[in-house]
Amino acid sequence: MSEPAISEYWRLCDELTVQQAVLLIVGIDPASEAAECEHWKPQERPRGYDPVKQALCAALRKEEVTGKNIPIYECDINGNPLRDIDGTTDVYASTVEVVSLVRWLRSRGMNTGFFFPQEDSTSGEPDYLNPKHPRYSFKLAAAVRVWQAMEDENLRRGKGPIPAMEDWLGSRYKELGLVHRQSNRKSGYEKGDRNGGAITQVAMIANWNPDGGPPETPAAQNPPPPEA
């Protein structure tokens, strides 16, 4: 029997218990009967549950994942806690922050599953062009975009690489984030205004001809084949 679909409402949570996080990582809705799997035999638990739980608990204790680690307590015969057990994590009481959890998963080479929505993982674009990536750099993304745009030889006609790229970037500065982040009236610009310095920096990063020279022309790039 196939597992029920995971509710999209779990995406509203900024914080999860360790067990909820583990179940979501292995593709199980925490509101399903699998929430009781800690009491199941190991072979009956969801596939991957035990290794993911072990890794996440260790990461939480070592503070590789932000959250709150609550240890398991040794109790007396009446159920009253006596002392905590070193090196343990109560998966029901301990919590992790989702943003930190996603970063940790990426650091371990994971980029599919519930925490990586389909529109991101199947878009065909690399992580460095994904604004949701924790290490996203708008200047790096802009440099890649303008470098790709220069495949259109008409954009380069009669221009050197940097002027051609500056023109392209300048026409798209808002969508690429090449704006001033704060106002400086003394310098004559407001927050959100076109940032000419950032545009030049990006063009220099993407420049494939750092030694300079005359502007390239389509004819120079694609000479006719020699006559037979």
Side-chain angles (χ1 to χ4, degrees):
M1 190 171 87
S2 61
E3 298 289 345
I6 298 175
S7 171
E8 289 294 305
Y9 292 119
W10 285 107
R11 300 194 188 284
L12 299 175
C13 299
D14 295 325
E15 186 178 78
L16 298 163
T17 69
V18 167
Q19 202 216 24
Q20 289 170 342
V22 172
L23 287 171
L24 289 170
I25 291 170
V26 300
I28 303 294
D29 192 311
S32 68
E33 63 178 10
E36 302 298 324
C37 69
E38 279 290 309
H39 308 295
W40 299 355
K41 295 178 181 178
Q43 65 270 22
E44 296 174 343
R45 295 171 189 154
R47 183 175 180 272
Y49 179 86
D50 286 318
V52 172
K53 183 183 75 169
Q54 180 176 332
L56 182 53
C57 288
L60 180 61
R61 291 193 296 270
K62 291 186 291 185
E63 299 183 348
E64 294 176 359
V65 175
T66 303
K68 186 174 183 180
N69 183 70
I70 306 298
I72 296 172
Y73 289 92
E74 182 180 338
C75 299
D76 61 22
I77 58 173
N78 296 315
N80 299 311
L82 298 174
R83 63 187 68 84
D84 59 84
I85 303 174
D86 288 340
T88 62
T89 297
D90 184 331
V91 297
Y92 297 110
S94 301
T95 58
V96 294
E97 293 182 8
V98 172
V99 171
S100 178
L101 173 65
V102 172
R103 289 196 185 105
W104 176 75
L105 289 170
R106 285 188 185 278
S107 74
R108 296 305 178 95
M110 297 190 68
N111 58 10
T112 59
F114 175 81
F115 292 105
F116 305 93
Q118 186 174 8
E119 61 267 26
D120 292 336
S121 61
T122 62
S123 64
E125 291 200 326
D127 287 343
Y128 53 79
L129 294 180
N130 178 6
K132 296 180 180 179
H133 193 280
R135 296 196 307 278
Y136 177 76
S137 164
F138 72 92
K139 286 185 180 179
L140 173 61
V144 172
R145 295 292 191 194
V146 70
W147 185 88
Q148 292 172 328
M150 291 300 108
E151 284 294 308
D152 184 349
E153 61 188 26
N154 292 317
L155 298 175
R156 308 192 311 270
R157 195 182 300 274
K159 302 177 183 177
I162 288 183
M165 289 189 287
E166 286 179 330
D167 287 347
W168 189 89
L169 292 165
S171 67
R172 297 163 174 79
Y173 71 92
K174 286 188 177 180
E175 66 182 81
L176 295 171
L178 301 174
V179 298
H180 288 288
R181 304 293 167 174
Q182 57 186 11
S183 300
N184 188 328
R185 294 186 178 179
K186 185 176 180 180
S187 299
Y189 59 78
E190 299 289 336
K191 180 178 179 181
D193 285 352
R194 180 181 183 274
N195 189 332
I199 288 173
T200 298
Q201 288 175 0
V202 169
M204 292 177 68
I205 292 170
N207 181 22
W208 61 89
N209 187 24
D211 297 328
E216 297 178 348
T217 63
Q221 294 177 35
N222 301 294
E227 295 182 2

